[in-house]
Amino acid sequence: MSKLHDERLEVGRTIALPLRKLEATIDSAIEQAGHVMIAMAAGRKRAKVAAATGQDAFAALGNTVAALFEGRSTIVACHQSLEQTRAELNVRIDNYGDAAPKPPLPFTEGAQPLRIVA
């Protein structure tokens, strides 16, 4: 492989890790917002207050959740765009994780398997 290809592969790696962390962070924030929603609704019910009580807080939380979902949508679009760029540059994927099956290892005819020696 060429030096340029290796450089592009390394750049891709430096983007991929923080991108996946950002996606996971957004998902965690959405999950946490759900817990806040449940706690607020249950707390209002437990405190036996009118539905109008704290309505501004519920509206603000709703806006927050909508923004989180919009953020999730746009980071997914960013990821897809980066994937398209990776394919256009013909940079192979070497991290597989859960998203793609690992390709089979090449087999060399007559090769001996590795052995552990002491």
Side-chain angles (χ1 to χ4, degrees):
M1 284 189 229
S2 73
K3 185 174 181 169
L4 178 59
H5 183 273
D6 290 344
E7 187 68 25
R8 288 177 176 173
L9 184 60
E10 185 57 34
V11 168
R13 287 182 186 133
T14 64
I15 294 169
L17 181 61
L19 176 62
R20 285 192 302 269
K21 285 182 178 181
L22 176 57
E23 291 169 339
T25 298
I26 292 170
D27 283 345
S28 293
I30 291 169
E31 179 183 14
Q32 193 60 38
H35 293 302
V36 173
M37 281 187 228
I38 292 167
M40 286 172 58
R44 188 199 59 76
K45 185 177 178 181
R46 184 174 171 201
K48 296 180 173 61
V49 296
T53 303
Q55 182 54 38
D56 55 340
F58 279 97
L61 181 58
N63 291 336
T64 300
V65 171
L68 286 169
F69 277 109
E70 179 64 24
R72 188 178 194 288
S73 177
T74 55
I75 200 61
V76 166
C78 174
H79 196 146
Q80 291 169 339
S81 179
L82 288 168
E83 173 58 25
Q84 182 178 352
T85 300
R86 182 208 57 78
E88 289 169 2
L89 294 174
N90 198 28
V91 176
R92 66 179 166 74
I93 299 173
D94 66 344
N95 273 341
Y96 295 92
D98 296 335
K102 192 170 184 176
L105 294 173
F107 179 74
T108 304
E109 191 67 39
Q112 297 296 315
L114 293 176
R115 294 181 299 156
I116 297 175
V117 294

